[in-house]
């Protein structure tokens, strides 16, 4: 939620499965784009090897490389909410202001 970090944190915790699914979906899209870049290079290298290589390099830099680095922001959001070592654990409880956790009234 714009301007409200607490509400954003609560939404990430409440809908963590969707947050993680979005993360994985982006990674799958980047991998597919990587494959498309390689296939386009292989298809077009017979016409101009150097130009095809440059186009493939720019395509790889434009979407998969830069956007994958941007995915670190999503990872860091979970890391900040749950701590450094608990990212892969299936069940967690986190205390947020105004958000009840398991075992709390």
């Amino acid at each position: 939620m714009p301007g409200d970090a607490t509400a954003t944190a609560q939404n990430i915790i409440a809908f963590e499965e969707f947050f993680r699914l979005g993360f994985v979906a982006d990674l799958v899209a980047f991998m597919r784009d990587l494959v498309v870049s390689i296939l386009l290079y292989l298809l077009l290298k017979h016409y101009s090897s150097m130009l095809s290589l440059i186009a493939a390099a720019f395509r790889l830099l434009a979407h998969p490389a830069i956007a994958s680095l941007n995915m670190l922001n999503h990872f860091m959001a979970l890391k900040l909410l749950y701590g450094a070592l608990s990212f892969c654990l299936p069940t967690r409880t986190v205390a947020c202001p105004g958000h009840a956790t398991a075992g709390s009234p």
Side-chain angles (χ1 to χ4, degrees):
M1 302 192 69
D4 191 356
T6 303
T8 300
Q10 289 173 347
N11 285 337
I12 290 172
I13 291 169
F15 302 104
E16 181 183 351
E17 293 82 18
F18 292 120
F19 189 82
R20 288 178 183 262
L21 182 63
F23 185 83
V24 170
D26 280 341
L27 290 177
V28 169
F30 301 151
M31 296 307 277
R32 292 177 70 189
D33 199 29
L34 174 76
V35 171
V36 167
S37 297
I38 293 169
L39 291 176
L40 283 173
Y41 167 74
L42 293 174
L43 180 68
L44 299 174
K45 75 177 181 177
H46 301 293
Y47 298 102
S48 175
S49 180
M50 183 57 75
L51 188 59
S52 178
L53 183 62
I54 291 170
F58 281 138
R59 182 175 174 88
L60 289 173
L61 285 174
H63 190 238
I66 294 172
S68 295
L69 288 174
N70 192 36
M71 293 301 295
L72 290 174
N73 292 328
H74 294 273
F75 174 75
M76 289 306 294
L78 288 175
K79 189 172 178 180
L80 285 172
L81 288 173
Y82 294 118
L85 298 177
S86 63
F87 180 75
C88 296
L89 298 177
T91 57
R92 295 174 291 277
T93 58
V94 175
C96 281
H99 182 72
T101 59
S104 65

